Amino acid sequence: MERDLAWEGCHNVRDLGGLPAAGGRRTRWGAVVRSDTP
């Protein structure tokens, strides 16, 4: 999966899928993203 996302009008957007979460779980791909300007 590609972590960097190319969304028109948004800069530095990334998918946080696969990162560690509470209880030893991992975040789902496509469920959580982050950006420099939400």
Side-chain angles (χ1 to χ4, degrees), residues 1-2 6 12 14 18 24 27-30 35:
M1 280 275 187
E2 179 66 32
N12 198 17
R14 297 180 190 212
T27 57
R28 285 183 298 133
W29 287 95
S35 156

Side-chain angles (χ1 to χ4, degrees), residues 11-29:
H11 302 283
N12 198 17
V13 180
R14 297 180 190 212
D15 189 324
L16 301 181
L19 296 178
R25 298 181 297 178
R26 297 207 172 264
T27 57
R28 285 183 298 133
W29 287 95

